[in-house]
Amino acid sequence: MPEPPSIDRALLAALVEAGDEVWNEARPGGPRTRNHRFVPSDPYGAYEALRNLRSRATTFVELGSGAGIVTILADLLGFEAYGIELEPWLYERSLELAERFGSRAVFAEGTFVDPEYQDEIEHLSADVHTPTGGAYGFEELGLELADFDLVFAFPWPGEEDWLFELMRRYARPGALLLTYGATEGFQVVEDF
């Protein structure tokens, strides 16, 4: 079996450090603490998960891409990589980081929730934290969720069910969903 693709350790460490700098902007006391919905996943864990999935997928989209670290990792590992982020300042950071690290990852500013599904999600529970308003990011990309082999999301606790329903409705058959949870780590979901 061929060795999974890899990224130079120094480049990986520099990218993770750049992501930490963005996270520091959002932490309490940082300049971006007001009204942000940004919690980064584990970039080293994401790197390993993506390496192991590279033989099973070629196209990648990150739903709620934050600073773009995971999307950039996917690109550097050889995926055709896209990220969708609603927060304008994070979208801008992802563009800056992609350029800084020589990544061809493509980012869109907007929501990843299909307009036909937005009202339904907002009525599911008062506890839904994912904003669904704003421009539809897939439209900006000129793509649809069904165009991707691998989808990555870091759902807020309790939002997994509607994320799975989003995949059932709009993802291509056989698509993989990679999720991250603070207690579960990275998990691959194949059946929604």
Side-chain angles (χ1 to χ4, degrees):
M1 179 158 196
E3 182 70 21
S6 63
I7 297 172
D8 176 78
R9 286 181 188 263
L11 177 63
L12 177 60
L15 180 59
V16 170
E17 183 177 328
D20 288 344
E21 291 168 8
V22 175
W23 173 230
N24 286 331
E25 288 183 51
R27 288 181 190 210
R32 303 272 184 192
T33 56
R34 212 178 101 219
N35 289 331
H36 79 82
R37 297 175 190 272
F38 173 52
V39 177
S41 64
D42 167 14
Y44 289 107
Y47 170 69
E48 289 302 326
L50 291 170
R51 285 184 71 215
N52 292 327
L53 291 169
R54 182 61 186 94
S55 65
R56 297 179 62 190
T58 59
T59 55
F60 170 91
V61 65
E62 182 176 7
L63 307 179
S65 55
I69 302 302
V70 176
T71 303
I72 293 169
L73 285 171
D75 170 65
L76 296 176
L77 287 168
F79 290 93
E80 181 182 330
Y82 298 83
I84 298 174
E85 175 55 49
L86 187 61
E87 296 279 348
W89 74 276
L90 288 169
Y91 165 73
E92 291 296 328
R93 290 295 187 279
S94 64
L95 296 176
E96 292 167 10
L97 292 175
E99 183 176 345
R100 179 172 154 193
F101 288 94
S103 170
R104 295 176 315 232
V106 177
F107 294 93
E109 182 181 344
T111 180
F112 58 83
V113 181
D114 190 285
E116 294 178 7
Y117 191 42
Q118 289 177 10
D119 288 340
E120 197 173 327
I121 289 173
E122 290 174 1
H123 290 96
L124 289 176
S125 164
D127 295 335
V128 173
H129 298 286
T130 299
T132 59
Y136 184 46
F138 283 105
E139 189 172 282
E140 183 179 325
L141 294 173
L143 298 166
E144 298 175 0
L145 187 58
D147 292 321
F148 296 93
D149 302 320
L150 177 59
V151 178
F152 172 63
F154 181 3
W156 291 101
E159 294 191 4
E160 297 85 1
D161 287 343
W162 75 254
L163 177 63
F164 295 157
E165 181 61 24
L166 180 81
M167 292 294 291
R168 272 191 289 276
R169 291 184 187 195
Y170 302 105
R172 74 168 50 164
L176 303 172
L177 174 63
L178 176 65
T179 62
Y180 177 74
T183 56
E184 305 85 21
F186 289 89
Q187 296 183 329
V188 178
V189 181
E190 299 184 52
D191 296 315
F192 314 108

